[in-house]
Amino acid sequence: MERVVVVTGANSGIGLALCERLLCEDGQLRLCLACRNMQRAEAARSALLTSHPDARVDLLHLDVGSVQSVLAAAQEIKARYRRVDFLYLNAGIMPNPHVDIRAFFKGLFSRNVINMFSTAEGLLTQQDRLNADGLQEVFATNLFGHFILIRELEPLLCQADLTSHVVWTSSSNARRSAFSIQDIQHRNGVEPYSSSKYASDLLSLALNRHKNSQGLVSSVICPGLVMTNLTYGILPSFFWTLIMPIMYLIRIFTNTFTLTPHNGAEALHWLFLQKPESLDARAKYHSQTSGLGRNYTQPRQMDVDSETCEALFSKLLDLEKVVRRKLSEKQHPSSD
């Protein structure tokens, strides 16, 4: 049976590398690139078809930071496909990153260098803003838009006698200390990226608790430290070029420095080969690359608890109702 795979943020970086690896694994699958920038999506599709001429690669316009775009994309997916076997939630943003340069150089030549690069703890902040829906942009893009997409696609993801797999691209920067259940959008903090990624860890566990019985399994991965457009937005590219030899040296001592999108997509690809029912709902699956360049996947227990994940799930459902009502009022204004 033909498998349908939808990948958000598929036009570059880890998302595109995943698509390439999936087509190498199964040339018969139906691959849908769900992207905000359709020009770049078309270029990605052309690149994939160059190496896989017989592949079935579809394009879909999706801006996960816009509820209206998510709803329209979900309708299009339901019109095209009878089911979705894999939904890779890879799209994400880190706007206006600010690096504490003094802390960076202090950490670069200390025994804490590996943890600094792995988690960016105490090093990296961002400046968030409201989007057109009145939501914090990072929260909306990295978490809430994907949540709405899952909700809309439940008829295709939750089917009798079939199992679908939702996979979140999280981060080692996902830290409990950056998240507050009283401020799930992180309106009052300076680490919205870390908060949104920790929230995706929580939400994955909640989805498993609520949807496993309906055939939906959710997993979380960490790609490691990868050089992508997101990374290059933190510091100038020439700076990364200067310190790249140091990073390859550090990889001898830690395997979290995957560095390339191909390596970073290892855990995403590995999950494609597993039976979803056999996976650990509380594990985050980490892409790892050894000093000799061997890729493998390592599960590690997430720092999450059932009470907080249920509270987040409830708050997201409540917010969904509010956002849908506002969208409906906007589209159908009262004549009073």
Tab-separated table of all heavy atoms in Angstrom, residues 136-175:
chain	number	residue	atom	x	y	z
A	136	GLN	N	1.739	34.912	19.908
A	136	GLN	CA	3.188	35.058	19.840
A	136	GLN	C	3.696	34.241	18.652
A	136	GLN	O	3.354	33.074	18.491
A	136	GLN	CB	3.846	34.593	21.130
A	136	GLN	CG	3.515	35.450	22.342
A	136	GLN	CD	4.005	36.887	22.198
A	136	GLN	OE1	3.234	37.832	22.374
A	136	GLN	NE2	5.272	37.073	21.886
A	137	GLU	N	4.523	34.856	17.831
A	137	GLU	CA	4.905	34.273	16.550
A	137	GLU	C	5.635	32.933	16.690
A	137	GLU	O	5.363	31.988	15.945
A	137	GLU	CB	5.787	35.263	15.782
A	137	GLU	CG	6.098	34.830	14.364
A	137	GLU	CD	6.906	35.864	13.600
A	137	GLU	OE1	7.764	36.524	14.235
A	137	GLU	OE2	6.681	36.031	12.396
A	138	VAL	N	6.561	32.832	17.629
A	138	VAL	CA	7.320	31.588	17.788
A	138	VAL	C	6.403	30.463	18.269
A	138	VAL	O	6.440	29.343	17.748
A	138	VAL	CB	8.498	31.782	18.764
A	138	VAL	CG1	9.223	30.467	19.008
A	138	VAL	CG2	9.469	32.821	18.209
A	139	PHE	N	5.584	30.745	19.250
A	139	PHE	CA	4.611	29.773	19.756
A	139	PHE	C	3.685	29.307	18.639
A	139	PHE	O	3.425	28.107	18.475
A	139	PHE	CB	3.808	30.407	20.892
A	139	PHE	CG	2.547	29.675	21.263
A	139	PHE	CD1	2.588	28.590	22.126
A	139	PHE	CD2	1.316	30.095	20.758
A	139	PHE	CE1	1.417	27.921	22.472
A	139	PHE	CE2	0.145	29.432	21.103
A	139	PHE	CZ	0.190	28.347	21.963
A	140	ALA	N	3.189	30.263	17.853
A	140	ALA	CA	2.245	29.939	16.783
A	140	ALA	C	2.889	29.061	15.717
A	140	ALA	O	2.279	28.095	15.233
A	140	ALA	CB	1.715	31.228	16.151
A	141	THR	N	4.124	29.372	15.346
A	141	THR	CA	4.798	28.650	14.266
A	141	THR	C	5.334	27.300	14.710
A	141	THR	O	5.156	26.286	14.032
A	141	THR	CB	5.943	29.500	13.692
A	141	THR	OG1	5.429	30.770	13.266
A	141	THR	CG2	6.606	28.800	12.518
A	142	ASN	N	5.995	27.282	15.851
A	142	ASN	CA	6.671	26.065	16.284
A	142	ASN	C	5.740	25.055	16.941
A	142	ASN	O	6.036	23.860	16.947
A	142	ASN	CB	7.809	26.406	17.252
A	142	ASN	CG	8.908	27.208	16.590
A	142	ASN	OD1	8.842	27.524	15.413
A	142	ASN	ND2	9.932	27.549	17.351
A	143	LEU	N	4.624	25.528	17.497
A	143	LEU	CA	3.753	24.615	18.244
A	143	LEU	C	2.285	24.672	17.830
A	143	LEU	O	1.736	23.679	17.362
A	143	LEU	CB	3.866	24.913	19.749
A	143	LEU	CG	3.042	23.956	20.621
A	143	LEU	CD1	3.798	22.650	20.828
A	143	LEU	CD2	2.703	24.595	21.966
A	144	PHE	N	1.655	25.836	17.998
A	144	PHE	CA	0.203	25.898	17.883
A	144	PHE	C	-0.286	25.583	16.466
A	144	PHE	O	-1.290	24.882	16.298
A	144	PHE	CB	-0.296	27.277	18.319
A	144	PHE	CG	-1.790	27.371	18.443
A	144	PHE	CD1	-2.465	26.636	19.406
A	144	PHE	CD2	-2.527	28.185	17.592
A	144	PHE	CE1	-3.851	26.713	19.525
A	144	PHE	CE2	-3.898	28.269	17.703
A	144	PHE	CZ	-4.569	27.526	18.673
A	145	GLY	N	0.400	26.085	15.448
A	145	GLY	CA	-0.015	25.778	14.077
A	145	GLY	C	0.030	24.296	13.788
A	145	GLY	O	-0.855	23.745	13.121
A	146	HIS	N	1.062	23.634	14.296
A	146	HIS	CA	1.166	22.189	14.113
A	146	HIS	C	0.070	21.461	14.892
A	146	HIS	O	-0.473	20.448	14.435
A	146	HIS	CB	2.535	21.704	14.562
A	146	HIS	CG	3.617	22.005	13.570
A	146	HIS	ND1	4.852	22.504	13.932
A	146	HIS	CD2	3.661	21.864	12.219
A	146	HIS	CE1	5.599	22.654	12.855
A	146	HIS	NE2	4.895	22.286	11.803
A	147	PHE	N	-0.258	21.971	16.073
A	147	PHE	CA	-1.347	21.396	16.870
A	147	PHE	C	-2.668	21.469	16.103
A	147	PHE	O	-3.414	20.481	16.040
A	147	PHE	CB	-1.457	22.139	18.200
A	147	PHE	CG	-2.658	21.759	19.035
A	147	PHE	CD1	-2.715	20.530	19.661
A	147	PHE	CD2	-3.715	22.640	19.182
A	147	PHE	CE1	-3.819	20.177	20.441
A	147	PHE	CE2	-4.820	22.308	19.950
A	147	PHE	CZ	-4.877	21.068	20.581
A	148	ILE	N	-2.951	22.629	15.514
A	148	ILE	CA	-4.178	22.790	14.733
A	148	ILE	C	-4.166	21.859	13.517
A	148	ILE	O	-5.186	21.254	13.162
A	148	ILE	CB	-4.347	24.255	14.272
A	148	ILE	CG1	-4.534	25.173	15.485
A	148	ILE	CG2	-5.524	24.395	13.310
A	148	ILE	CD1	-5.813	24.921	16.258
A	149	LEU	N	-3.006	21.696	12.895
A	149	LEU	CA	-2.899	20.806	11.741
A	149	LEU	C	-3.242	19.370	12.134
A	149	LEU	O	-3.988	18.681	11.421
A	149	LEU	CB	-1.482	20.875	11.167
A	149	LEU	CG	-1.217	20.059	9.899
A	149	LEU	CD1	-2.077	20.548	8.738
A	149	LEU	CD2	0.267	20.116	9.515
A	150	ILE	N	-2.715	18.914	13.251
A	150	ILE	CA	-3.039	17.562	13.729
A	150	ILE	C	-4.530	17.434	13.990
A	150	ILE	O	-5.162	16.441	13.595
A	150	ILE	CB	-2.252	17.246	15.012
A	150	ILE	CG1	-0.754	17.176	14.723
A	150	ILE	CG2	-2.722	15.930	15.634
A	150	ILE	CD1	0.101	17.116	15.976
A	151	ARG	N	-5.094	18.424	14.648
A	151	ARG	CA	-6.530	18.389	14.967
A	151	ARG	C	-7.369	18.295	13.689
A	151	ARG	O	-8.336	17.534	13.616
A	151	ARG	CB	-6.905	19.644	15.752
A	151	ARG	CG	-6.243	19.734	17.117
A	151	ARG	CD	-7.010	18.986	18.172
A	151	ARG	NE	-8.302	19.640	18.405
A	151	ARG	CZ	-9.357	19.031	18.957
A	151	ARG	NH1	-9.293	17.759	19.278
A	151	ARG	NH2	-10.478	19.695	19.174
A	152	GLU	N	-6.988	19.062	12.683
A	152	GLU	CA	-7.735	19.065	11.430
A	152	GLU	C	-7.567	17.758	10.656
A	152	GLU	O	-8.475	17.335	9.929
A	152	GLU	CB	-7.265	20.234	10.555
A	152	GLU	CG	-7.790	21.583	10.981
A	152	GLU	CD	-9.293	21.709	10.762
A	152	GLU	OE1	-9.752	21.505	9.610
A	152	GLU	OE2	-10.000	21.984	11.736
A	153	LEU	N	-6.425	17.123	10.807
A	153	LEU	CA	-6.130	15.911	10.034
A	153	LEU	C	-6.489	14.623	10.779
A	153	LEU	O	-6.168	13.528	10.302
A	153	LEU	CB	-4.657	15.874	9.639
A	153	LEU	CG	-4.188	16.964	8.677
A	153	LEU	CD1	-2.705	16.772	8.332
A	153	LEU	CD2	-5.025	16.977	7.398
A	154	GLU	N	-7.137	14.735	11.925
A	154	GLU	CA	-7.493	13.532	12.685
A	154	GLU	C	-8.254	12.491	11.866
A	154	GLU	O	-8.009	11.291	12.027
A	154	GLU	CB	-8.274	13.915	13.938
A	154	GLU	CG	-7.382	14.451	15.050
A	154	GLU	CD	-8.134	14.698	16.344
A	154	GLU	OE1	-9.314	14.272	16.447
A	154	GLU	OE2	-7.560	15.308	17.263
A	155	PRO	N	-9.156	12.890	10.950
A	155	PRO	CA	-9.827	11.861	10.139
A	155	PRO	C	-8.862	11.034	9.290
A	155	PRO	O	-9.150	9.872	8.971
A	155	PRO	CB	-10.772	12.683	9.252
A	155	PRO	CG	-11.021	13.936	10.016
A	155	PRO	CD	-9.720	14.232	10.705
A	156	LEU	N	-7.711	11.611	8.927
A	156	LEU	CA	-6.719	10.895	8.119
A	156	LEU	C	-5.662	10.216	8.982
A	156	LEU	O	-5.020	9.260	8.542
A	156	LEU	CB	-6.029	11.849	7.141
A	156	LEU	CG	-6.734	12.123	5.797
A	156	LEU	CD1	-8.077	12.808	6.020
A	156	LEU	CD2	-5.852	12.980	4.908
A	157	LEU	N	-5.492	10.726	10.205
A	157	LEU	CA	-4.466	10.176	11.091
A	157	LEU	C	-5.010	9.099	12.021
A	157	LEU	O	-4.256	8.231	12.476
A	157	LEU	CB	-3.859	11.297	11.946
A	157	LEU	CG	-3.043	12.362	11.213
A	157	LEU	CD1	-2.771	13.557	12.134
A	157	LEU	CD2	-1.726	11.787	10.712
A	158	CYS	N	-6.271	9.165	12.323
A	158	CYS	CA	-6.896	8.230	13.272
A	158	CYS	C	-7.905	7.359	12.532
A	158	CYS	O	-9.077	7.743	12.388
A	158	CYS	CB	-7.574	8.988	14.405
A	158	CYS	SG	-6.489	10.086	15.323
A	159	GLN	N	-7.442	6.226	12.065
A	159	GLN	CA	-8.296	5.315	11.304
A	159	GLN	C	-8.200	3.912	11.884
A	159	GLN	O	-7.134	3.485	12.349
A	159	GLN	CB	-7.906	5.312	9.826
A	159	GLN	CG	-8.102	6.653	9.135
A	159	GLN	CD	-7.876	6.583	7.632
A	159	GLN	OE1	-7.648	5.528	7.076
A	159	GLN	NE2	-7.948	7.733	6.985
A	160	ALA	N	-9.294	3.196	11.830
A	160	ALA	CA	-9.362	1.853	12.410
A	160	ALA	C	-8.366	0.912	11.745
A	160	ALA	O	-8.219	0.907	10.522
A	160	ALA	CB	-10.780	1.298	12.265
A	161	ASP	N	-7.670	0.132	12.581
A	161	ASP	CA	-6.753	-0.925	12.136
A	161	ASP	C	-5.520	-0.393	11.393
A	161	ASP	O	-4.812	-1.159	10.748
A	161	ASP	CB	-7.476	-1.941	11.239
A	161	ASP	CG	-8.660	-2.581	11.940
A	161	ASP	OD1	-8.542	-2.852	13.151
A	161	ASP	OD2	-9.696	-2.792	11.289
A	162	LEU	N	-5.277	0.917	11.465
A	162	LEU	CA	-4.095	1.498	10.833
A	162	LEU	C	-3.404	2.422	11.837
A	162	LEU	O	-4.061	3.037	12.678
A	162	LEU	CB	-4.471	2.282	9.573
A	162	LEU	CG	-5.026	1.464	8.400
A	162	LEU	CD1	-5.579	2.394	7.321
A	162	LEU	CD2	-3.954	0.561	7.820
A	163	THR	N	-2.093	2.518	11.732
A	163	THR	CA	-1.330	3.370	12.656
A	163	THR	C	-0.636	4.482	11.887
A	163	THR	O	0.025	4.234	10.875
A	163	THR	CB	-0.269	2.542	13.410
A	163	THR	OG1	-0.914	1.490	14.128
A	163	THR	CG2	0.490	3.424	14.396
A	164	SER	N	-0.808	5.689	12.346
A	164	SER	CA	-0.109	6.834	11.754
A	164	SER	C	0.912	7.347	12.758
A	164	SER	O	0.794	7.133	13.967
A	164	SER	CB	-1.090	7.953	11.394
A	164	SER	OG	-1.746	8.426	12.559
A	165	HIS	N	1.919	8.052	12.245
A	165	HIS	CA	3.025	8.489	13.093
A	165	HIS	C	3.260	9.984	12.912
A	165	HIS	O	3.539	10.445	11.805
A	165	HIS	CB	4.295	7.709	12.711
A	165	HIS	CG	5.328	7.698	13.787
A	165	HIS	ND1	6.493	6.957	13.695
A	165	HIS	CD2	5.405	8.353	14.987
A	165	HIS	CE1	7.214	7.138	14.788
A	165	HIS	NE2	6.585	7.987	15.580
A	166	VAL	N	3.121	10.721	13.996
A	166	VAL	CA	3.424	12.153	14.026
A	166	VAL	C	4.797	12.320	14.671
A	166	VAL	O	5.044	11.779	15.753
A	166	VAL	CB	2.359	12.926	14.828
A	166	VAL	CG1	2.784	14.384	15.021
A	166	VAL	CG2	1.002	12.843	14.146
A	167	VAL	N	5.693	13.054	14.001
A	167	VAL	CA	7.057	13.203	14.505
A	167	VAL	C	7.406	14.686	14.600
A	167	VAL	O	7.350	15.413	13.603
A	167	VAL	CB	8.078	12.481	13.596
A	167	VAL	CG1	9.477	12.604	14.193
A	167	VAL	CG2	7.697	11.014	13.406
A	168	TRP	N	7.778	15.111	15.806
A	168	TRP	CA	8.136	16.500	16.073
A	168	TRP	C	9.650	16.685	16.019
A	168	TRP	O	10.392	15.904	16.632
A	168	TRP	CB	7.663	16.932	17.457
A	168	TRP	CG	6.205	16.865	17.694
A	168	TRP	CD1	5.457	15.756	17.991
A	168	TRP	CD2	5.278	17.963	17.666
A	168	TRP	NE1	4.136	16.094	18.154
A	168	TRP	CE2	3.993	17.438	17.960
A	168	TRP	CE3	5.423	19.335	17.420
A	168	TRP	CZ2	2.857	18.247	18.019
A	168	TRP	CZ3	4.297	20.135	17.482
A	168	TRP	CH2	3.029	19.600	17.774
A	169	THR	N	10.118	17.719	15.346
A	169	THR	CA	11.525	18.096	15.427
A	169	THR	C	11.670	19.052	16.607
A	169	THR	O	11.281	20.214	16.536
A	169	THR	CB	12.014	18.775	14.135
A	169	THR	OG1	11.892	17.859	13.040
A	169	THR	CG2	13.477	19.183	14.266
A	170	SER	N	12.232	18.539	17.692
A	170	SER	CA	12.436	19.339	18.894
A	170	SER	C	13.872	19.849	18.909
A	170	SER	O	14.465	20.083	17.861
A	170	SER	CB	12.109	18.506	20.139
A	170	SER	OG	12.244	19.275	21.319
A	171	SER	N	14.439	19.984	20.078
A	171	SER	CA	15.781	20.559	20.186
A	171	SER	C	16.378	20.220	21.541
A	171	SER	O	15.644	19.980	22.514
A	171	SER	CB	15.698	22.075	20.016
A	171	SER	OG	16.923	22.700	20.327
A	172	SER	N	17.699	20.219	21.620
A	172	SER	CA	18.360	20.091	22.920
A	172	SER	C	18.190	21.382	23.714
A	172	SER	O	18.451	21.432	24.918
A	172	SER	CB	19.848	19.789	22.733
A	172	SER	OG	20.465	20.796	21.946
A	173	ASN	N	17.727	22.429	23.041
A	173	ASN	CA	17.447	23.715	23.676
A	173	ASN	C	16.075	23.723	24.359
A	173	ASN	O	15.696	24.707	24.983
A	173	ASN	CB	17.524	24.833	22.626
A	173	ASN	CG	17.477	26.230	23.224
A	173	ASN	OD1	16.633	27.034	22.855
A	173	ASN	ND2	18.377	26.528	24.151
A	174	ALA	N	15.337	22.603	24.250
A	174	ALA	CA	14.026	22.481	24.903
A	174	ALA	C	14.245	22.259	26.395
A	174	ALA	O	14.606	21.162	26.817
A	174	ALA	CB	13.247	21.327	24.291
A	175	ARG	N	14.024	23.293	27.196
A	175	ARG	CA	14.326	23.209	28.623
A	175	ARG	C	13.106	23.563	29.469
A	175	ARG	O	12.399	24.534	29.188
A	175	ARG	CB	15.487	24.130	29.000
A	175	ARG	CG	16.772	23.881	28.236
A	175	ARG	CD	17.950	24.579	28.907
A	175	ARG	NE	17.607	25.910	29.388
A	175	ARG	CZ	17.589	27.009	28.631
A	175	ARG	NH1	17.863	26.927	27.342
A	175	ARG	NH2	17.292	28.176	29.150
